[in-house]
Amino acid sequence: MEINPKLVIVHVSGFGQWGDDVQINSAAYDLTVAAYAGIIAQNGTPEQPTNISPYLGDYINSLMIVSSALAALHRAEKTGEGESIDLAMYETLLRVGTYYMMDYLNEGKRYPRPGVRHQNLCGIGIYECKDGFIGLCLYGVPQNKYLLEQIGLGELWGTEEYPEDTSALWLDGPKAQLIEEKLEAYLKERSKFDVQRDFVDHRIAAQVVNEFDDILAADHVKQRECYIEWLKEDGTPVKGLNTFPKFSRNPGGFWRPMPQLGQDTRDVLMRAGLPIDEIDKLIAEGTVKTNEN
């Protein structure tokens, strides 16, 4: 930074650059930092916590790395002052898991691991239909009224227990167990596609749980060109996910195959202004990697 005061550095590690020596020197992967951060303990069943797969912690931390670097770069352009960022992966996952932690911190409240359902609301989670599974997120006054009528509990609406402005059906409500039982029975008698169509028509968030084949066959996914094909360096085709999000003025895209390890090192260093002889020295010493090695 003495040479370039606008430099932005992001130090990425499992547990940070300072703190308890044992912890900061512990090996870290997606699963282990999630375990340490308590986010794994919030998922699964009462008997067994479960990992947040696949590699969710890695992906979320990648986004945090990019966003923090861009924020610091934006400030550096305005002020001329760079930044050194200490990004501990577990702290990002503390942020992800803070929703229910706030209730514990302030009220000592602990919610059980929910399994496939919500910790404290009816009608939210994964439910079984007669031909598969559907994800529901029931919330809102007209949505609750419609669902209660459909599952045969319309008489509850407008009572003292469930007034006409009820926007959430809480699990600690007087008829929560009955609502869940009726909803489960209702869904098991119906096709997941019919339920999705009907609930979406009535502004209830409901989507069939798609498998890989279902995603690839979906009309919406095709129209938005979510999956594309490109060529590898050897000319063989490979299929994969397109670039997201979709910029209307400057759309992203695949402009070449994935480079080999070190393929761009020399070009990057030259663009950074290093003399060729210094670059050659760094390569010879093994300080940097190129595909020439």
Side-chain angles (χ1 to χ4, degrees):
M1 281 187 167
E2 290 179 2
I3 298 171
N4 180 6
K6 292 173 66 175
L7 187 64
V8 170
I9 306 168
V10 184
H11 300 274
V12 184
S13 62
F15 300 99
Q17 302 297 306
W18 53 271
D20 179 83
D21 285 344
V22 173
Q23 202 62 55
I24 64 176
N25 288 296
S26 297
Y29 284 102
D30 166 89
L31 186 150
T32 56
V33 294
Y36 186 81
I39 189 70
I40 284 180
Q42 294 189 47
N43 290 277
T45 65
E47 299 77 25
Q48 172 71 56
T50 187
N51 189 23
I52 48 172
S53 296
Y55 308 117
L56 187 60
D58 284 346
Y59 285 112
I60 293 172
N61 271 287
S62 297
L63 295 173
M64 184 67 80
I65 292 165
V66 171
S67 60
S68 60
L70 289 176
L73 283 169
H74 181 70
R75 185 176 186 277
E77 287 300 316
K78 288 181 172 294
T79 66
E81 182 182 14
E83 184 62 87
S84 177
I85 300 167
D86 182 4
L87 196 150
M89 293 173 65
Y90 87 94
E91 289 172 350
T92 299
L93 295 180
L94 283 179
R95 166 55 59 192
V96 175
T98 197
Y99 189 95
Y100 291 113
M101 175 63 91
M102 290 295 291
D103 288 345
Y104 177 74
L105 287 171
N106 294 282
E107 299 178 16
K109 187 179 295 185
R110 294 177 185 265
Y111 294 101
R113 283 189 288 270
V116 296
R117 303 290 171 79
H118 196 272
Q119 282 94 333
N120 49 23
L121 285 167
C122 296
I124 299 181
I126 310 302
Y127 290 82
E128 186 177 4
C129 296
K130 70 177 183 180
D131 54 355
F133 295 91
I134 192 165
L136 297 183
C137 194
L138 177 68
Y139 199 84
V141 174
Q143 290 86 349
N144 289 332
K145 180 177 184 295
Y146 180 77
L147 182 121
L148 289 176
E149 290 172 348
Q150 290 304 107
I151 64 176
L153 294 177
E155 72 276 3
L156 294 179
W157 193 254
T159 64
E160 185 177 341
E161 295 173 328
Y162 293 96
E164 292 186 351
D165 61 350
T166 300
S167 60
L169 301 176
W170 296 96
L171 278 180
D172 59 1
K175 297 291 191 298
Q177 185 175 346
L178 176 63
I179 292 171
E180 283 291 295
E181 289 173 355
K182 287 282 192 177
L183 176 58
E184 289 175 356
Y186 175 86
L187 294 172
K188 284 182 179 179
E189 294 177 351
R190 289 163 174 79
S191 164
K192 58 186 179 182
F193 301 108
D194 292 339
V195 172
Q196 175 180 301
R197 190 178 304 109
D198 177 48
F199 281 10
V200 167
D201 283 346
H202 290 85
R203 308 303 295 165
I204 296 174
Q207 292 293 318
V208 166
V209 176
N210 284 331
E211 299 287 349
F212 287 165
D213 289 343
D214 303 320
I215 298 168
L216 295 174
D219 232 24
H220 184 64
V221 172
K222 291 178 180 177
Q223 289 183 34
R224 289 182 61 84
E225 299 179 329
C226 293
Y227 291 90
I228 60 172
E229 184 176 291
W230 64 92
L231 297 178
K232 293 195 290 187
E233 197 172 54
D234 63 4
T236 58
V238 58
K239 295 177 181 178
L241 199 62
N242 205 343
T243 53
F244 304 123
K246 299 182 185 299
F247 287 66
S248 58
R249 293 184 177 179
N250 299 283
F254 287 80
W255 56 279
R256 69 169 186 178
M258 179 183 292
Q260 297 177 10
L261 179 63
Q263 180 175 324
D264 294 326
T265 301
R266 183 178 290 277
D267 181 54
V268 169
L269 294 178
M270 288 178 65
R271 289 176 184 232
L274 270 70
I276 292 176
D277 58 342
E278 190 172 335
I279 296 173
D280 289 337
K281 182 181 177 183
L282 290 172
I283 294 171
E285 292 172 346
T287 304
V288 296
K289 171 74 176 177
T290 73
N291 62 340
E292 304 165 15
N293 300 139

